[in-house]
Amino acid sequence: MTTTTSTPKSVTPARADTLDIDRIRADFPILLRKVYGKPLVYLDSAATTQKPEQVIRTISNHYRNTHANVHRGIYALSSEATALYEGTRKKVADFIGTADTGEIIFTRNTSESINLVAHAWGTMNLKAGDEILLTEMEHHSNLVPWFLLAKRTGAVVRHIPIDDNGLLDLDRGFKLLSEKTKIVAVTHTSNVLGTINPIDEIIQRAHKQGAIVLIDAAQGVPHAPVDVSKMNADFVAFSAHKMLGPSGVGVLYGRRKLLEGMDPFMGGGDMISNVTLTDASWSELPWKFEAGTPNIADVIGFGAAIDYLNDLGMDRVRQHELDLTTYAMERLQELGDIDIYGPMDPSKRAGVIAFNERSVHSHDLATILDREGIAIRAGHHCAQPLMTILGQSATARVSFYIHNDRRDVDALMAGLTCAGRFFGKR
């Protein structure tokens, strides 16, 4: 799975960007700042994305002009806040291809969305001996909740392996499917390898076996068109903060039939229909799963983020990242002492590149780059089992989004050259 290169490849000629990057960059206030006197080059969007002025302004405007609790008041401010909040739910539904807003549950993040399914669906439907099928490339958020569920129910966790190219070995993986398999939980796109998995095929095979499927789309929905109806997904989880929105907002899409058959994840205000001193009944979807006062302002801000991405067009976002990733991988291989992890075919990966410079720890590399104003991630990326398979304790990782272009890749290369000199390698 480690690709080692010593001969530089030819760099593809420059082509017109599918996005107007200069115009986009002007929308991001944080990109005006300097770090250690150097212009900020932000290459950690897989961890969290920066926010455009349109999102910041929307959140500020809500607090200034329309802030009130939602769903519970008959006065003007509450009605306005409710309309904005529920308006975002409709935007999310449209963005991922469902006509039913009741299938869109707001949570705090992707992790909570997955935990919701593990608790509310898993506890009711799994028993000792049942099997949960995951993959070896999962983020901890799509591992730990299932481990906890397995401990509660006596279920068994299995994993689809990965091959030497950083792709799922589906020939071996599908052999793990059996009548015992109750749920398959798989990442849409690896946050380390960048691998874009064949989700449609996985869903089809799992359904044929009678299992349901949860897709961790934290790295998928923000970067390419995703249509949950066409893929026939059962559950899809993702986060606002990875797609220009604020932190503290996650989404769980679930098929209505499944959601209606599940007990609430949490109890409290706003998720009830009626309460007595001894019992309670639940509100209808989606509010059945949204206990208490929600993160109103940030959900409204998320709506502005979706508007921004819709204006750009997700097909263009995907094409821009593909072009940029192709260029970055070609440039990285010029160094000759770089190990790149994951598929070497850029069309099979998202805008994420994990790599290591030989004899230089990724944390040291990230520290040197930081002094050049370049923000990358170094560590295990919340994927320790995958790191073990790679034979690494950590990797460096660069990840791109809509405001990045070839100038950022060139800055990264200059920073890596500087780091190489520092460590006496170049």
Side-chain angles (χ1 to χ4, degrees), residues 22-195:
D22 287 335
R23 181 186 67 80
I24 291 171
R25 287 179 63 86
D27 289 334
F28 289 78
I30 200 168
L31 297 181
L32 295 174
R33 70 160 294 179
K34 294 186 175 182
V35 177
Y36 300 112
K38 306 290 180 61
L40 172 64
V41 177
Y42 187 75
L43 298 175
D44 195 24
S45 289
T48 193
T49 56
Q50 298 299 340
K51 318 307 172 191
E53 181 63 38
Q54 291 85 340
V55 171
I56 298 169
R57 186 167 56 242
T58 295
I59 296 170
S60 176
N61 182 68
H62 167 70
Y63 278 125
R64 291 176 181 275
N65 296 297
T66 59
H67 181 60
N69 215 327
V70 294
H71 304 144
R72 308 177 192 184
I74 59 174
Y75 54 89
L77 281 180
S78 179
S79 297
E80 291 167 4
T82 299
L84 291 168
Y85 181 88
E86 293 300 329
T88 295
R89 197 188 307 274
K90 178 63 165 62
K91 291 177 182 179
V92 173
D94 292 342
F95 193 78
I96 64 171
T98 176
D100 186 352
T101 56
E103 295 180 326
I104 302 299
I105 312 299
F106 287 129
T107 62
R108 292 183 304 161
N109 43 49
T110 304
S111 298
E112 184 172 290
S113 295
I114 296 171
N115 274 276
L116 191 160
V117 176
H119 279 265
W121 180 88
T123 302
M124 296 177 66
N125 289 279
L126 266 67
K127 63 183 185 303
D130 288 340
E131 294 182 356
I132 303 164
L133 185 58
L134 312 176
T135 83
E136 292 179 341
M137 65 172 67
E138 298 305 316
H139 188 282
H140 295 165
S141 292
N142 203 31
L143 290 172
V144 178
W146 306 112
F147 297 161
L148 293 172
L149 175 63
K151 289 180 179 180
R152 289 197 305 271
T153 62
V156 177
V157 176
R158 299 192 181 278
H159 298 88
I160 299 173
I162 52 180
D163 64 21
D164 291 338
N165 296 313
L167 303 173
L168 290 179
D169 186 342
L170 293 181
D171 288 339
R172 294 169 60 195
F174 286 150
K175 291 179 181 177
L176 298 174
L177 282 170
S178 72
E179 69 280 356
K180 295 181 179 180
T181 309
K182 302 305 178 184
I183 186 167
V184 178
V186 57
T187 184
H188 180 288
T189 301
S190 170
N191 71 309
V192 179
L193 304 174
T195 308

Side-chain angles (χ1 to χ4, degrees), residues 369-411:
L369 290 175
D370 180 48
R371 289 290 176 171
E372 297 298 314
I374 303 167
I376 73 165
R377 181 56 60 96
H380 55 64
H381 316 298
C382 294
Q384 287 180 308
L386 177 57
M387 289 294 116
T388 299
I389 293 169
L390 294 176
Q392 303 294 323
S393 61
T395 69
R397 184 188 71 184
V398 298
S399 50
F400 308 114
Y401 209 31
I402 57 173
H403 52 72
N404 296 121
D405 63 9
R406 292 187 176 200
R407 292 169 292 186
D408 295 325
V409 175
D410 293 340

